[in-house]
Amino acid sequence: MSAHTATTAPAVLTAKALLLDMDGTIVNSDAVVERCWRDWAVSHGLDPEAALKVVHGRQGYATMAILLPERPMEQNHAENAVMLARETADTDGVIPVGGAPEFMAAIADLPHALVTSADAALATTRMTAAGLPMPRVRVTAESVSASKPDPEGFLKGAAELGVDPAQCVVFEDSGAGIAAGKAAGMRVIGVGPRAAAHTPHAHVPDLKSIHVHPAPDGNIHLTLHP
């Protein structure tokens, strides 16, 4: 065995349930997100590149509150509704993250939930556009009172599945989402290039790198190939 092989041995995480973010984690919607938010930033006299550094993982109103801190929150909520409608109408370039169809098929009969900052309409549109099955348990924007990085969404997903938070593994791509998973007391697998900078407990380039092994005792073993 070469030294290189020895240093890249696969890691194994064990869980009772899996909590999945959507955008950037199982669905690649970056093209739409960047189109919509660049336009929004320019229309408000903001630097689009700076705006894109904070949009991922948060609900739109929370992003707006960061970028326009002096503005009334009700205005952010109103503009967020407009933004959600535009994003829902735009599916150009929405595709599955690498390995997502196979991963979703592998966990179809295992305890899992979608925990997304999208609302139900946007989540349904993007999952459909990417050709992915919608999990039976899902926590969308309407289900929570606080956006990621608040842990509410992940804690609600665990509760709906009836699983202790410490026995859940979160899949996330964004800094806000990774922080939310950690705040919920869960282990976090970072997916994709954005995630690496936010110190998840483990990191994979995409979902092709994860193999799912259900155990007879109800545990889910996740083998991560770096």
Side-chain angles (χ1 to χ4, degrees), residues 15-23 25-26 103-104 107-117 123 127 133-140 143 148 152-163 167-172 186 207 220:
K16 294 286 188 186
L18 311 178
L19 302 179
L20 317 174
D21 173 53
M22 183 180 71
D23 292 304
T25 300
I26 57 176
F103 176 78
M104 295 302 287
I107 69 169
D109 297 325
L110 304 175
H112 69 286
L114 189 73
V115 181
T116 176
S117 292
M127 292 290 282
M134 177 64 83
R136 180 184 60 81
V137 176
R138 45 200 181 261
V139 179
T140 58
S143 311
K148 299 172 185 176
E152 181 186 355
F154 287 123
L155 292 172
K156 185 162 281 192
E160 289 198 26
L161 292 169
V163 176
Q167 294 182 314
C168 295
V169 166
V170 165
F171 289 76
E172 265 286 0
M186 301 172 183
L207 295 171
I220 305 166

Side-chain angles (χ1 to χ4, degrees), residues 87-111:
E87 289 192 76
T88 303
D90 185 353
T91 57
D92 188 24
V94 175
I95 57 174
V97 166
E102 296 81 3
F103 176 78
M104 295 302 287
I107 69 169
D109 297 325
L110 304 175

Side-chain angles (χ1 to χ4, degrees), residues 72-95:
M73 188 59 83
E74 55 265 29
Q75 194 172 343
N76 296 335
H77 281 286
E79 282 194 15
N80 185 43
V82 175
M83 177 69 79
L84 284 169
R86 179 181 172 185
E87 289 192 76
T88 303
D90 185 353
T91 57
D92 188 24
V94 175
I95 57 174

